[in-house]
Amino acid sequence: MILLLAVVVAAALRLAPAVAELTVVEHPPKTEGSLNVLAVGDWGRRGQFNQTLVAEQMGLVGEKLGIDFVISTGDNIYDDGIANTSDPLFKECFTNIYTAQSLQTPWYIVLGNHDYTGNALAQQDPAIREVDSRYLSIAKSFIVNSDVADFFLVDTSPFYLKYWNSTKYDWRNVAPRDTYIETLLKDLDDALTVSEAPWKIVVGHHPISSACEHGNTTELQQLLRPILEACMTLSYCLLSFNFCLPIDLDELRN
Ligand SMILES: *[C@@H]1O[C@H](CO)[C@@H](O)[C@H](O)[C@H]1NC(C)=O
Ligand SMILES: *[C@@H]1O[C@H](CO)[C@@H](O)[C@H](O)[C@H]1NC(C)=O
Ligand SMILES: *[C@@H]1O[C@H](CO)[C@@H](O)[C@H](O)[C@H]1NC(C)=O
Ligand SMILES: *[C@@H]1O[C@H](CO)[C@@H](O)[C@H](O)[C@H]1NC(C)=O
């Protein structure tokens, strides 16, 4: 539905009080230190809704930039995620669509609300990586450490009370909500604090503030925003409908 990318530039590094509990994936940049990434959200439509056209362009841009990995901001599989790790929808929406050579990199993936109305655990199941080894939704929230940048992938769907109150969503391994959110925010805060990367990029499916149709998210404004603001000098939000964003850190710096 929507994606949020908050770019956090560390003004001053605080001392590290605790070791982050969030899983960390090490993905070193290229040998000369550069890193090129594509970010995409709201995509799994069996090629429809122009998914195939966007995938082709991602392939071309990915080739040109020599991308290191792809980030997915969620709503990976419409309308209701996957039913299990052998659901044919997975290949129809992912494997069979992103076929370009340049996209045969790791994909670091968070869930969106549409993934949660299916079997949300199936997307993190190691069996899904046997179907396609690129699909790295290794935990609901996790960190990709790339030296020049740390990417903090945050599971935002459980914050929404309107989703939480609906029986459509798969809250296994999430409920009780209060404990889940409290632990997630503490782990995120700790991880942002200890991170020494020049760029800290927080990735989530839902925006904190938006002037578009979905509007602001009260729960994220109250709970997530203070943690980001504590170490943020620059941030932006983007609306996405199967939209792909190349992230060029040099460009952002200017
Ligand atoms: C696909 O993109 C074209 C413009 O390139 C647009 O006119 C069309 O409505 C899109 N189709 C869907 C199903 O979104
Ligand atoms: C997995 O999900 C698909 C799609 O709903 C279904 O056809 C299939 O029977 C399921 N397989 C297993 C092993 O449950
Ligand atoms: C969801 O349920 C909680 C408690 O059960 C209630 O306080 C809240 O108003 C509900 N929110 C929405 C958006 O339905
Ligand atoms: C949404 O959030 C922004 C930024 O905090 C605020 O300026 C704006 O007034 C809010 N909009 C609404 C409709 O509450």
Side-chain angles (χ1 to χ4, degrees):
M1 188 193 291
I2 306 164
L3 76 87
L4 152 75
L5 282 177
V7 178
V8 180
V9 185
L13 291 167
R14 285 175 282 163
L15 283 175
V19 175
E21 300 287 337
L22 292 170
T23 304
V24 179
V25 180
E26 300 291 342
H27 193 125
K30 296 183 185 70
T31 41
E32 82 281 12
S34 76
L35 183 74
N36 289 289
V37 173
L38 292 183
V40 64
D42 297 8
W43 43 266
R45 301 272 197 175
R46 287 193 170 109
Q48 293 166 13
F49 293 85
N50 290 330
Q51 187 193 2
T52 304
L53 291 175
V54 174
E56 282 168 16
Q57 294 306 315
M58 285 173 69
L60 296 173
V61 174
E63 178 83 47
K64 202 170 151 191
L65 293 179
I67 57 162
D68 297 283
F69 54 83
V70 179
I71 288 202
S72 169
T73 61
D75 279 2
N76 308 312
I77 317 279
Y78 282 93
D79 283 325
D80 297 306
I82 44 175
N84 55 55
T85 55
S86 47
D87 189 337
L89 199 50
F90 176 70
K91 282 190 174 175
E92 290 164 14
C93 287
F94 182 63
T95 309
N96 300 351
I97 303 290
Y98 301 104
T99 52
Q101 189 56 42
S102 67
L103 304 179
Q104 308 307 305
T105 60
W107 285 52
Y108 299 114
I109 291 170
V110 275
L111 302 184
N113 45 296
H114 280 273
D115 303 299
Y116 261 110
T117 55
N119 179 344
L121 296 182
Q123 297 203 30
Q124 283 97 55
D125 193 319
I128 203 78
R129 306 199 277 278
E130 283 165 29
V131 181
D132 194 317
S133 62
R134 292 177 292 173
Y135 202 85
L136 300 173
S137 178
I138 54 164
K140 294 231 159 119
S141 300
F142 62 102
I143 298 167
V144 181
N145 177 330
S146 292
D147 294 355
V148 64
D150 277 343
F151 295 82
F152 303 83
L153 284 76
V154 178
D155 184 26
T156 53
S157 299
F159 285 79
Y160 273 62
L161 283 169
K162 78 173 177 205
Y163 303 151
W164 190 263
N165 291 354
S166 160
T167 52
K168 281 197 312 185
Y169 295 82
D170 178 7
W171 299 127
R172 288 174 300 159
N173 292 9
V174 178
R177 174 177 177 270
D178 289 355
T179 314
Y180 183 83
I181 289 178
E182 194 185 318
T183 307
L184 170 54
L185 292 176
K186 180 178 186 310
D187 290 348
L188 177 65
D189 195 20
D190 288 349
L192 283 167
T193 304
V194 301
S195 168
E196 293 182 3
W199 294 92
K200 305 181 208 305
I201 300 181
V202 178
V203 178
H205 183 66
H206 301 92
I208 297 172
S209 304
S210 166
C212 294
E213 69 172 285
H214 297 295
N216 293 347
T217 308
T218 314
E219 297 92 329
L220 293 177
Q221 289 202 322
Q222 286 171 352
L223 299 167
L224 180 60
R225 184 178 178 152
I227 288 171
L228 303 188
E229 279 179 348
C231 70
M232 173 147 67
T233 57
L234 160 72
S235 78
Y236 64 89
C237 295
L238 297 165
L239 248 190
S240 157
F241 287 93
N242 184 26
F243 169 81
C244 181
L245 170 77
I247 300 177
D248 180 332
L249 295 174
D250 289 328
E251 193 76 11
L252 285 175
R253 200 168 283 138
N254 296 329

